[in-house]
Amino acid sequence: MFQGASSLNLDAKGRMTIPARHRDALQLQCEGRVTLTKHPDGCLLLFPRSVWETRREEIAKWPISARAWQRIFLGNAVDVEFDTAGRILIAPELRAAGGLTRDVMLMGMGSHFEIWDAAKLAESESDAIAAGVPDVLNNFSF
């Protein structure tokens, strides 16, 4: 299970270094092979390849009425591997889709990660707090 936030920088070529704690786990789980795709919230999703392959099969079975969503997730998926420095290259199309420039946040979300533009994530979190707790969480407590 991946959790926690890491503040990172993209280099001039669009490469992002995966933090050592996650890189080591991803090396064990999927030999550093991951898949990136778009998310409609404006971030990117990063999946260990084995997790993505299961999700990909599920998405491919969606009915024709969900074709647009299949295009978002499957049509934009890119397989990548760690380089020798533990970095991944984020394709220009995906960087543009996520609004990623330099300052990014890598968010562990259990089975996968979200990659956000740092300013966009801060705005999204602020909007969520301002909107209040959704009804589905009314019975949740720490």
Side-chain angles (χ1 to χ4, degrees):
M1 290 295 256
F2 303 108
Q3 64 183 23
S6 299
S7 179
L8 305 169
N9 295 311
L10 292 181
D11 69 13
K13 294 181 180 179
R15 296 175 297 194
M16 180 181 78
T17 301
I18 303 295
R21 70 178 191 257
H22 297 312
R23 187 173 56 240
D24 294 344
L26 288 167
Q27 284 288 6
L28 286 172
Q29 183 176 351
C30 61
E31 298 174 345
R33 297 178 311 145
V34 297
T35 299
L36 293 167
T37 194
K38 279 187 190 181
H39 190 282
D41 284 348
C43 66
L44 301 181
L45 299 173
L46 184 151
F47 289 93
R49 187 77 48 81
S50 57
V51 174
W52 173 250
E53 288 170 355
T54 300
R55 294 281 174 96
R56 181 181 61 204
E57 290 175 19
E58 294 170 6
I59 294 167
K61 292 178 185 175
W62 290 351
I64 194 77
S65 60
R67 180 69 53 162
W69 291 99
Q70 286 175 318
R71 283 188 200 102
I72 290 170
F73 296 117
L74 296 180
N76 290 288
V78 177
D79 293 335
V80 295
E81 294 186 19
F82 294 170
D83 67 11
T84 56
R87 299 172 299 194
I88 59 168
L89 175 64
I90 301 175
E93 298 82 6
L94 288 176
R95 289 195 310 266
L100 306 179
T101 53
R102 178 164 167 73
D103 299 324
V104 298
M105 294 293 293
L106 179 70
M107 309 291 292
M109 300 297 292
S111 65
H112 64 283
F113 297 90
E114 292 180 350
I115 303 171
W116 284 88
D117 172 76
K120 189 187 290 187
L121 175 62
E123 181 181 340
S124 177
E125 288 178 348
S126 178
D127 290 347
I129 291 168
V133 177
D135 291 340
V136 72
L137 297 181
N138 283 341
N139 294 323
F140 180 79
S141 178
F142 279 103

